[in-house]
Amino acid sequence: MSSVTEMFGSNVFNDCVMRERLPKGTYTAIQKTIKDGKLLDIEVATVVANAMKDWAIEKGASHYTHWFQPMTGVTAEKHESFISPTSNGKVIMEFSGKELVRGEPDASSFPSGGLRATFEARGYTAWDPTSYAFIKDKTLCIPTAFCSYGGEALDKKTPLLRSMQAINEQALRVLKLFGNEDVTSIKTTVGAEQEYFLIDRELYRKRRDLIYTGRTLFGARPPKGQELEDHYFGSIMPCVKEFMEDLDKELWKLGILAKTEHNEVAPAQYELAPIFSTSNIAADHNQLTMEIMQKVAKRHGLICLLHEKPFAGVNGSGKHNNWSISTNTGVNLFEPGETPYENAQFLLFLCAVIKAVDDYQEILRLSVATAGNDHRLGANEAPPAVISVFLGDELTEILNAIECGKDYDCRQKEQMKIGVDVLPYFPKDTTDRNRTSPFAFTGNKFEFRMPGSSLSISGPNFVLNTAVAEVLKQFADELENASDFTASLNKLIKRTISEHKRIIFNGNGYDDAWIEESRKRNLPNLKTAPDCLPYFTEEKSIKLFTSHKVLSEAEIKSRYDIVMENYCKIINIEALTMLDMAKKDIMPAVSAYSKELSETASAKKGFIPNIDCTYELETLKSISRTAAIMYIKTEALEKAVLEAKEISDVTELALYYKDKVIPAMSELRISADELETMTAKSYWPFPSYGDLLFAVK
Ligand code: ADP
Ligand code: MG
């Protein structure tokens, strides 16, 4: 295939293909389903399924799969072939409407947090026709949601789809009040910028910590790290360039709009930014992007690390979630408008987000909480664990002026009213690029910077959508009953600003002074996953999600169990891997090197009796001292891991891992890393940080 335009979307059953291959009536019916969420009847599904199958077979596919996103965080597929036996002992290739719209994967081994035990044993997958089917590895993949037979969500996608419905409903109420009669639906849009590391595959194979946990559990700092910042936006290494070109091709074939790629701050770190799309599609595409990145990297002798913190002392990887709302008429609701009414509408939606972020800080925080992300947030390289909103000085001044009813020194120098009389001057995109805010307004969208690089973006997005839907609901309730719309609107905006301005912060989020200031503002600082996850099952959260039909109480509780258990499992695996490497690799290597030092010293002495053996003996002494400490720390970690087995309550267990196991791991690492600096390179059992970070050429 030659040109990019030809290649783009060539493996996607997209609108173009549908228009070409479906009878007119079927095409119209499926468009209706996609646009308005109308249920598709089985006859239509049968025609679509047949066309999909023919198209897929022409493209070399022989199997199909319902592609879904269980709570494991990675995608799942169960391949079925199209073949169907005929009476004459042959086969034909078949794919029915029923098979398209509904599947029954053997769901028993996916985490359900007790949902299937309480309800039905099996789960089913249901087609999400708004996300196009595609071909991957000679298999037709049908994007689906995954539920239990009782209808409980067992996946990441279902709550996202439900939250999109919730925010659609409430935003339409508000839009109606501003006279937007032509708007019949809104969609949340997302562009997820993906950070990742690339390291040499052969070196990776020599490190069990990377293999088992995705991050290094040991490793002394190399002489050169990221301090020169010479990697950031620097020229891309030839080998990486080839990887990126190959990656682009694979993503484009799947209709994924990979747009910019560049080096990041840390050595060996890179970023990929797509063009934004509707939230659920963006979520599907981000999952695919992560999968394809890993696959393509291997073809180039590389390994793509998606962990939030693969290397201590080196910047970790995040996933910036750019979020906005757009109407079916093509208007971005966070684009400051041209007319007073549009601006009032912009201000109201802006206020809705500010209030939503302030009201539901804990829940937003927990939507990005994972064991891996705990290494990033608050480590002065990513936003702090405290949530705040960055608006930029200009917009903040406008809000301040509105709050006090004062003049805003803008172009017109007029009294600031949010109504019809005066057009406040909204300079477009004045937002200075603050990079330290967890939640930044960036001109016509918000950038949520807390998600970690390996996270499915469904979580933060369903929380954000639902929180904003709730505030829009409150706004609509108030304004729909107002006798004087402009006056009530004015009052509402003013009140919202003064009640929620504590969440607005335009300064340096990495600064310790901000942590101090945030404490004064009463903003919670939930540093770790076990600190914030319990807020998920609190009354406020249950009320939010149940009232908008995004999650039921049972679903919330089951999800809580799943994420907490996952946290515990991850720390447990990390601790066991450390013990394994400490006992089987590091200590034997240190011992062998000690032997060499002592043998060398005695050999030298045998040769010239009074020879100076200071180097051998002093090194031997320091190594022996540190090795003895390391041995004690290994035992301590082993004991901490064993004691965890006594705890059955998942909340208590997570806290135990955080308070007892993680500190024991850090202690052990200190001694091991010290030993690395003293031991001859030829004895050290695995590649060093320097090898890993600077090997890719
Ligand atoms: P940055 O300065 O962070 O690099 P960009 O303007 O390049 O910002 O955009 C970053 C990301 O934001 C891109 O992935 C882009 O597609 C996405 N984005 C732009 N507009 C929107 C929007 N309206 N909704 C959601 N995401 C958007
Ligand atoms: Mg960004």
Side-chain angles (χ1 to χ4, degrees), residues 103-166:
E104 289 184 22
D106 174 14
S108 54
S109 48
F110 293 112
S112 80
L115 274 181
R116 271 190 315 268
T118 339
F119 301 93
E120 287 276 351
R122 289 189 305 174
Y124 70 90
T125 47
W127 183 30
D128 166 15
T130 60
S131 183
Y132 297 133
F134 55 91
I135 295 171
K136 182 170 68 73
D137 302 331
K138 299 197 170 177
T139 301
L140 171 67
C141 299
I142 296 144
T144 57
F146 177 41
C147 294
S148 76
Y149 263 86
E152 283 79 18
L154 296 176
D155 68 348
K156 306 239 169 196
K157 181 175 225 174
T158 306
L160 178 62
L161 292 173
R162 291 176 185 160
S163 75
M164 289 166 71
Q165 241 167 26

Side-chain angles (χ1 to χ4, degrees), residues 193 271 320 322 435 447 449:
E193 299 167 69
E271 182 190 282
H320 293 171
N322 295 274
R435 297 277 174 202
E447 186 169 357
R449 300 205 179 104

Side-chain angles (χ1 to χ4, degrees), residues 506-535:
N506 294 326
N508 181 0
Y510 294 2
D511 204 342
D512 287 340
W514 163 237
I515 301 302
E516 193 48 44
E517 162 74 15
S518 69
R519 208 171 292 134
K520 287 193 197 124
R521 296 191 192 186
N522 253 334
L523 299 172
N525 184 1
L526 302 166
K527 287 197 181 132
T528 68
D531 292 329
C532 60
L533 286 167
Y535 285 92

Side-chain angles (χ1 to χ4, degrees), residues 653-691:
L653 185 61
L655 287 170
Y656 176 84
Y657 274 110
K658 180 193 82 146
D659 294 329
K660 294 285 185 303
V661 179
I662 291 180
M665 286 165 63
S666 310
E667 281 293 311
L668 173 57
R669 177 171 184 159
I670 292 171
S671 311
D673 290 358
E674 235 174 276
L675 283 168
E676 185 182 343
T677 64
M678 297 185 242
T679 307
K681 191 162 174 56
S682 58
Y683 277 83
W684 200 251
F686 30 75
S688 68
Y689 265 33
D691 300 333

Side-chain angles (χ1 to χ4, degrees), residues 69 151 233 264 272 318 328 339 344 398 415 426 509 576 674 691:
Q69 295 156 36
F233 275 67
E264 267 297 326
L272 179 145
N328 63 314
T339 68
I398 292 175
Q415 230 243 291
F426 278 107
L576 293 178
E674 235 174 276
D691 300 333

Side-chain angles (χ1 to χ4, degrees), residues 228-462:
L228 295 178
E229 301 196 342
D230 51 353
H231 186 66
Y232 193 42
F233 275 67
S235 63
I236 296 171
M237 304 277 194
C239 157
V240 174
K241 186 127 198 66
E242 278 165 32
F243 157 82
M244 285 178 174
E245 278 166 13
D246 203 5
L247 175 64
D248 273 346
K249 273 188 212 149
E250 294 296 328
L251 294 177
W252 289 340
K253 280 192 229 161
L254 291 171
I256 297 172
L257 294 148
K259 174 97 172 145
T260 39
E261 272 133 326
H262 60 75
N263 292 350
E264 267 297 326
V265 182
Q269 193 186 28
Y270 307 91
E271 182 190 282
L272 179 145
I275 295 175
F276 68 93
S277 48
T278 311
S279 301
N280 62 320
I281 295 168
D284 284 356
H285 283 181
N286 182 251
Q287 291 298 127
L288 276 172
T289 301
M290 290 194 285
E291 180 186 328
I292 308 277
M293 273 178 169
Q294 288 173 309
K295 219 182 263 174
V296 173
K298 282 191 188 142
R299 290 212 291 258
H300 290 261
L302 300 166
I303 290 288
C304 168
L305 299 177
L306 290 168
H307 193 281
E308 282 72 19
K309 190 75 177 176
F311 305 99
V314 171
N315 271 10
S317 301
K319 174 142 51 195
H320 293 171
N321 191 86
N322 295 274
W323 177 93
S324 189
I325 306 177
S326 64
T327 66
N328 63 314
T329 53
V331 177
N332 176 349
L333 294 179
F334 294 109
E335 186 84 60
E338 304 285 331
T339 68
Y341 256 127
E342 281 172 14
N343 272 338
Q345 182 183 297
F346 161 75
L347 278 175
L348 190 67
F349 276 94
L350 183 76
C351 283
V353 176
I354 294 169
K355 179 170 161 58
V357 174
D358 190 26
D359 281 348
Y360 297 104
Q361 289 174 57
E362 294 87 353
I363 305 173
L364 264 179
R365 167 66 186 91
L366 73 87
S367 75
V368 299
T370 60
N373 215 17
D374 281 358
H375 298 286
R376 263 182 86 235
L377 303 177
N380 289 344
E381 54 155 72
V386 182
I387 300 215
S388 63
V389 177
F390 168 88
L391 290 182
D393 292 337
E394 194 107 36
L395 204 47
T396 307
E397 256 179 66
I398 292 175
L399 295 192
N400 284 342
I402 294 171
E403 190 200 356
C404 331
K406 275 199 314 229
D407 287 3
Y408 170 65
D409 187 21
C410 59
R411 198 183 269 167
Q412 283 93 343
K413 299 220 162 73
E414 299 269 2
Q415 230 243 291
M416 186 78 184
K417 284 187 201 150
I418 315 148
V420 266
D421 321 331
V422 180
L423 169 68
Y425 165 58
F426 278 107
K428 290 225 165 165
D429 204 11
T430 55
T431 45
D432 15 330
R433 290 291 192 221
N434 175 306
R435 297 277 174 202
T436 62
S437 173
F439 202 97
F441 181 66
T442 53
N444 58 4
K445 62 186 185 292
F446 289 90
E447 186 169 357
F448 187 29
R449 300 205 179 104
M450 289 176 112
S453 46
S454 68
L455 193 75
S456 154
I457 56 169
S458 299
N461 282 294
F462 90 69

